[in-house]
Amino acid sequence: MVCRVLLLPILLLGISMCTPASPPPTPIGTVSSGGITFSWAHIGGELRCHVQAPTTGWVAIGFNEVAELTGTRLVMGAFVNGEAIVSDRTVVAPGDHRPIEDVGGVSDLSQPSGTERDGTTEISFTLPAATAHEWSHDLRQGTTVHLLLAYSVADEFDHHSRVRRHLTVRL
């Protein structure tokens, strides 16, 4: 899959655009809550992720080593005007999430993709499994993480979630 390069301002916001969605990974694990499903597979030193929810707005998943919003690595995705938008973010404080580049980091999210069909939005992406920088978390196989799963009815990432769930999962 080849991603289209966006204008520099959008890149600086930490947004990647790709389409179509990659097929979900052959899951090592799958969890569902509130209509949101997260499937994952460890491939080499990476965690391949797939998130889907019953919405035509954004979907999101967050990873943290502690049960707090602050410090959560948040990946949000939406399908806008025929394009998948996937953004690698960090939760600075409850209600304040920003692209990792906006807080001085560099995104290491790769292979972003997404689709929207029949009232469902799906995103897929890959993250390094080992902690690479202060905005990442240990996502290696067997690690317990606190997940945030959420979706909205709107595509704008600043729109409030309709559903948000918190789960503790062993990857």
Side-chain angles (χ1 to χ4, degrees):
M1 173 181 306
V2 177
C3 294
R4 292 181 217 150
V5 178
L6 302 178
L7 299 174
L8 182 58
I10 293 175
L11 285 174
L12 293 175
L13 290 175
I15 297 174
S16 298
M17 295 180 72
C18 296
T19 193
S22 299
T26 302
I28 288 176
T30 299
V31 295
S32 294
S33 184
I36 308 161
T37 300
F38 166 53
S39 301
W40 70 91
H42 286 91
I43 302 169
E46 298 180 320
L47 180 69
R48 183 73 182 150
C49 303
H50 182 82
V51 182
Q52 67 180 41
T55 186
T56 57
W58 59 254
V59 298
I61 183 166
F63 303 93
N64 205 333
E65 293 166 356
V66 295
E68 296 180 12
L69 282 175
T70 301
T72 295
R73 182 175 195 171
L74 186 66
V75 178
M76 299 180 78
F79 200 74
V80 180
N81 299 322
E83 300 286 344
I85 301 171
V86 180
S87 181
D88 191 6
R89 307 171 83 79
T90 186
V91 178
V92 176
D96 182 7
H97 52 85
R98 301 177 193 170
I100 286 177
E101 289 83 356
D102 286 3
V103 294
V106 175
S107 175
D108 53 7
L109 181 143
S110 63
Q111 303 177 38
S113 63
T115 64
E116 181 182 289
R117 70 176 154 262
D118 300 326
T120 298
T121 298
E122 302 180 26
I123 61 169
S124 295
F125 57 91
T126 300
L127 292 171
T131 304
H133 51 69
E134 67 181 284
W135 297 279
S136 63
H137 296 285
D138 186 356
L139 303 176
R140 292 176 290 177
Q141 192 166 359
T143 301
T144 299
V145 296
H146 298 275
L147 291 180
L148 177 152
L149 299 173
Y151 71 83
S152 175
V153 296
D155 288 326
E156 298 79 23
F157 293 153
D158 61 352
H159 193 273
H160 197 273
S161 60
R162 170 171 276 179
V163 172
R164 185 173 83 190
R165 298 288 191 265
H166 297 268
L167 306 167
T168 303
V169 174
R170 187 167 185 227
L171 297 175

